[in-house]
Amino acid sequence: MFDLLIQGFAAVLSLKIFLLMTAGVAVGIVFGAVPGLTAVMAIALCLPMTYGLGPAAGISLLIALFVGATSGGLISAILLKIPGTPSSIATTFDGAPMMEKGEGAKALGAGIVFSFLGTIASIAALAFIAPSLAKVALSFGPHEYFAIAVFSLTLIATLSSGSMAKGVFAGVLGFAVSTVGIAPVDATARFTFGNVELNAGFSILTVLVGMFAVAEVIKVAESARHPVDGGAAPQPVKIKGFGFSMAEFLGQIPNAFRSALIGIGIGILPGIGAGTSNIIAYIAAKKRSKTPEEFGKGTLEGVVASETANNAGIGGAMIPLLTLGIPGDAVTAIMLGGLMIHGIQPGPMLFITQAPLVYTIFAALIVSAVLMLVLEFWGLRIFIKLLAIPKHILLPVILVLCAVGAFGLASRIFDIWTILGFGVLGYAFVKAGIPTAPFIIGFILGPMAETSFRRGLQLSRGDYTGFLTNPISGTFLALAVVSIAWQLWGEYRASRGPVTANPLKLGGEE
Amino acid sequence: MRLKDVIVGAVMAGAGIAYLRMAAVLPERDGVDAGTVPTILAWMMIGLGLIELVSALRRPPATQAETRAATSGLVTVGLTLLLIAGFIAALRPLGFPIATAIYLFLQFLVLTPKSASRSVPLYAGLAAVSSVIIFATFRYAFDLLLPAGPLVAWLN
């Protein structure tokens, strides 16, 4: 294992990959920090640039973007009181009051350091859990994969929206869109309307860029003429050392440890990622605190809990992605797309056939975490200046980059029309209150679910009960039913009594 | 009855019906074939659309403020969509550098907040410089053959 990890570091620390990762972390931090720009958008935009790079360089760049964007949200959360990404929502609760009290440097310093520690803790969990889980997953057949896909889809669909019907519909529609092209097993052409460009189905990149980046541009256009969240201008902050004392650091260790466990645990579950874990860790920290009355008024504990938990979700989310090929949220979905573009099929076999690449991913995560720590301390002034770029300048340029990315897939204008089509669909989802994440997961898991379903039936000679009698598959299908029943019960209770906030709902969207 | 949600429910069910009709014309084989999963998905879409429709009928109607918020800014959205469609359509005939510069310039103008001043020379300069930088980066650094249009003799 350590030999492979050293090989991974050797690959990642080559000059070319190191420079790429430095740029990736910096761009990621900017995307995380600027409200409206997301980690998904950053990765989707840079994905086409990785075509010409090797798998190690390409994946390292995507990981650097992921780590940078997850952490970058804390900058605007503390300086502007606007969370740059949903993963930093709870950071605003205490980060912004600390800024008002003149403790902005302490809040930023603690946020950066504990983001780093959260990432490192989750990488350790990934390195120890993933290989063991991959060994177990090696015995999985089509029945198990079908059930896991259904369970993941139900969990994402039920947890990510206010309305279960809309959440499940989004997942089903994503699945339906994935059926365009040549069918698995019997190779029948479906829904192509004689268009050869659709024989291979829609590219994952065009769907992701359209649904997230183009839809975001259209959404911003809606409020661009009359902006409501102008936000305060960021104030300059000088950090001396880390901004906090050693005693304060040591006092936060139990809080950070608990928050990291929450972040890793929630990160592993499909559908509820860093957008939720930061809030749950914040609530847990408040309940465990000796001074719960200080929460919301500017306490270091709140910032530490939120930032440790959201970054701890990075390694957690990579566990099902690498071992089962199942993305937990939109960010890991696009990471999966990135791996597939480079000819890498995540799953248990990855740990056997491409073990050096797996450890290169682990090394890239560690190096990205270190780069994030260094860049956020030294480059804070630059990132603060970038927050001031007006959206009406930034977003059209981003749209052009999306078009270039789509064109780069196969040098076809058709793919640019496709991203526009999915952009309009994504905007329609926003207007209709339908969550986007289940659509993406449905699109990605759809082919896996259909292929496994048909192969499973072939194995059990057309007997549907095979999916229920197989212990693992039966368990996951039962869990899928429980997840739907739980959501139905929640909706029933909500319709009977006063509406109570469900923190899990907050993290559905990327 | 909340009209917006009723429309959403009806569209959801309608999408399911359209998908079911398309799935019905797929070639049939014994047992599970290429149409089986799409048919199941279509029925699920129809069912979910009907559930949404029924619950929308029970919800209280939207307030005037909610309706106004939902429809504000649609002109800018329409203009943006037209500009993007025009940009894509112009990519082959005008080439990437020219089409991009025109698109960016017009899009900057459309998206500028009413409270901010519109600096036409600045926008024109920004549009031209962004277009050239993006084209040069992808064409010469990443070897991506973006359409050059009438400038093909000079750029390739």
Side-chain angles (χ1 to χ4, degrees), chain A residues 13-176:
Chain A
L13 292 175
S14 68
L15 185 66
K16 180 185 159 191
I17 299 185
F18 185 75
L19 288 176
L20 274 170
M21 288 181 66
T22 309
V25 172
V27 172
I29 293 170
V30 173
F31 271 73
V34 177
L37 303 189
T38 60
V40 180
M41 215 189 259
I43 301 172
L45 278 178
C46 293
L47 205 49
M49 295 179 196
T50 69
Y51 295 154
L53 306 169
I59 299 303
S60 299
L61 174 61
L62 299 180
I63 285 171
L65 287 159
F66 183 16
V67 173
T70 307
S71 173
L74 76 95
I75 297 173
S76 53
I78 294 169
L79 297 181
L80 299 178
K81 300 182 199 170
I82 303 169
T85 57
S87 15
S88 298
I89 291 171
T91 310
T92 54
F93 299 165
D94 281 295
M98 281 181 80
M99 184 76 195
E100 283 167 4
K101 286 198 293 187
E103 293 181 339
K106 190 194 275 188
L108 280 167
I112 295 166
V113 168
F114 284 95
S115 284
F116 169 75
L117 294 176
T119 312
I120 295 295
S122 75
I123 297 165
L126 170 68
F128 286 104
I129 296 172
S132 320
L133 189 59
K135 274 184 195 162
V136 175
L138 271 175
S139 60
F140 286 4
H143 292 91
E144 287 88 349
Y145 272 109
F146 170 72
I148 291 171
V150 170
F151 167 66
S152 306
L153 207 49
T154 355
L155 202 60
I156 290 156
T158 52
L159 288 177
S160 62
S161 105
S163 150
M164 190 194 75
K166 285 179 179 173
V168 178
F169 176 83
V172 173
L173 186 65
F175 196 156

Side-chain angles (χ1 to χ4, degrees), chain A residues 143 453 457 460-469, chain B residues 31-32 36 40:
Chain A
H143 292 91
F453 175 65
L457 278 178
S460 52
R461 295 181 184 172
D463 181 9
Y464 287 86
T465 56
F467 291 102
L468 300 173
T469 51
Chain B
V32 176
T36 308
I40 297 168

Side-chain angles (χ1 to χ4, degrees), chain A residues 291-475:
Chain A
T291 53
E293 70 283 356
E294 290 300 317
F295 277 73
K297 294 177 188 167
T299 175
L300 196 61
E301 286 175 271
V303 176
V304 168
S306 169
E307 284 306 316
T308 312
N310 67 20
N311 273 65
I314 293 173
M318 297 291 280
I319 293 173
L321 176 73
L322 292 179
T323 55
L324 299 170
I326 289 184
D329 58 12
V331 187
T332 39
I334 201 159
M335 290 289 294
L336 176 65
L339 289 164
M340 283 156 71
I341 279 173
H342 287 283
I344 303 156
Q345 183 59 54
M349 287 303 287
L350 184 69
F351 286 76
I352 294 168
T353 57
Q354 305 213 43
L357 186 72
V358 172
Y359 283 87
T360 303
I361 292 174
F362 294 167
L365 279 163
I366 296 168
V367 172
S368 298
V370 176
L371 284 169
M372 173 198 80
L373 185 73
V374 173
L375 287 175
E376 283 190 348
F377 269 111
W378 288 357
L380 197 61
R381 276 187 212 164
I382 302 166
F383 296 125
I384 290 172
K385 279 187 182 164
L386 285 169
L387 283 177
I389 297 178
K391 273 192 186 173
H392 64 272
I393 301 291
L394 197 60
L395 286 167
V397 176
I398 285 177
L399 188 119
V400 171
L401 290 172
C402 293
V404 172
F407 183 81
L409 270 176
S411 297
R412 300 183 307 191
I413 299 287
F414 170 81
D415 290 317
I416 311 182
W417 284 113
T418 310
I419 61 164
L420 177 60
F422 281 107
V424 173
L425 182 67
Y427 177 68
F429 269 32
V430 172
K431 296 302 281 180
I434 300 173
T436 313
F439 177 90
I440 298 296
I441 307 293
F443 179 79
I444 288 171
L445 293 184
M448 174 179 150
E450 185 179 4
T451 310
S452 304
F453 175 65
R454 294 182 68 177
R455 285 196 185 142
L457 278 178
Q458 279 178 339
L459 279 177
S460 52
R461 295 181 184 172
D463 181 9
Y464 287 86
T465 56
F467 291 102
L468 300 173
T469 51
N470 178 308
I472 296 171
S473 139
T475 307

Side-chain angles (χ1 to χ4, degrees), chain B residues 97 100-102 104-105 108 122-134:
Chain B
T100 302
I102 295 172
L104 285 177
F105 175 69
F108 291 157
L122 176 70
Y123 285 180
L126 270 177
V129 169
S130 309
S131 167
V132 169
I133 290 175
I134 296 170

